[in-house]
Amino acid sequence: MPVSWSRDGFDGHTGCVAEHTLILLRHAKSDWSGDEADIDRPLASRGRGQAPEAGRWLATHVDRTDMAVVSAAERARATWDLVSADLGERPETRHDEHVYAASAVALLDIVHSLGEELKTVVLVGHNPGLEDLAETLTGERARLPTSALAVIDL
């Protein structure tokens, strides 16, 4: 069962200690008012307010993050910059162009390619891939609005 947080609050905790934890983070609300390419869309004002909330939640509920794998999209990178600013220690960050517009299968391949020594990883990306990945890993449908987190013990 995923442990998830959204702006509406914290939902469920398994109470289990996992060998690995994957945290899915959907990018914050983006700005659609410009004419830039989709990958270059910035965060909207609302998104710049949302992302720090997710960062505060992570800082409070997750002891340590070993790595963040972040979509190459501007809105995902900006989200992670704001989220990670609230962490005591910023984890190693890898910007990965393959996360952008990726399917659940492609995201799972990215996760499988990570080193076994990485115990907790944040994957910052986009829907529908993140929601589909959460469902693939848990067997449950997860709704991930902008800036939502899903914490999945593997």
Side-chain angles (χ1 to χ4, degrees):
M1 170 172 127
V3 178
S4 61
W5 174 90
S6 72
R7 291 177 312 284
D8 300 325
F10 185 61
D11 176 32
H13 192 283
T14 63
C16 299
V17 176
E19 186 174 339
H20 295 282
T21 301
L22 176 63
I23 302 169
L24 306 179
L25 169 60
R26 183 173 174 208
H27 66 78
K29 182 69 178 166
S30 61
D31 184 352
W32 288 84
S33 66
D35 60 357
E36 58 274 302
D38 182 69
I39 197 168
D40 296 325
R41 277 192 293 120
L43 291 180
S45 176
R46 187 172 107 197
R48 289 189 300 275
Q50 289 175 336
E53 292 178 33
R56 287 188 290 276
W57 189 92
L58 280 175
T60 301
H61 294 91
V62 177
D63 292 333
R64 174 181 164 80
T65 301
D66 298 309
M67 177 180 275
V69 179
V70 181
S71 164
E74 171 59 29
R75 60 193 179 275
R77 292 190 325 253
T79 297
W80 181 244
D81 287 345
L82 292 167
V83 167
S84 63
D86 279 310
L87 303 180
E89 182 180 330
R90 288 186 188 212
E92 177 184 349
T93 300
R94 185 176 95 194
H95 296 105
D96 190 329
E97 62 197 28
H98 297 103
V99 174
Y100 176 71
S103 67
V105 171
L107 292 172
L108 195 55
D109 286 345
I110 291 166
V111 171
H112 283 146
S113 73
L114 299 173
E116 182 68 23
E117 72 282 359
L118 300 173
K119 300 303 181 192
T120 302
V121 173
V122 177
L123 178 61
V124 184
H126 313 269
N127 277 341
L130 288 180
E131 288 181 342
D132 293 344
L133 178 59
E135 183 174 11
T136 297
L137 294 173
T138 67
E140 298 178 29
R141 189 71 189 151
R143 184 176 171 275
L144 295 174
T146 53
S147 289
L149 296 155
V151 179
I152 304 170
D153 294 332
L154 304 173

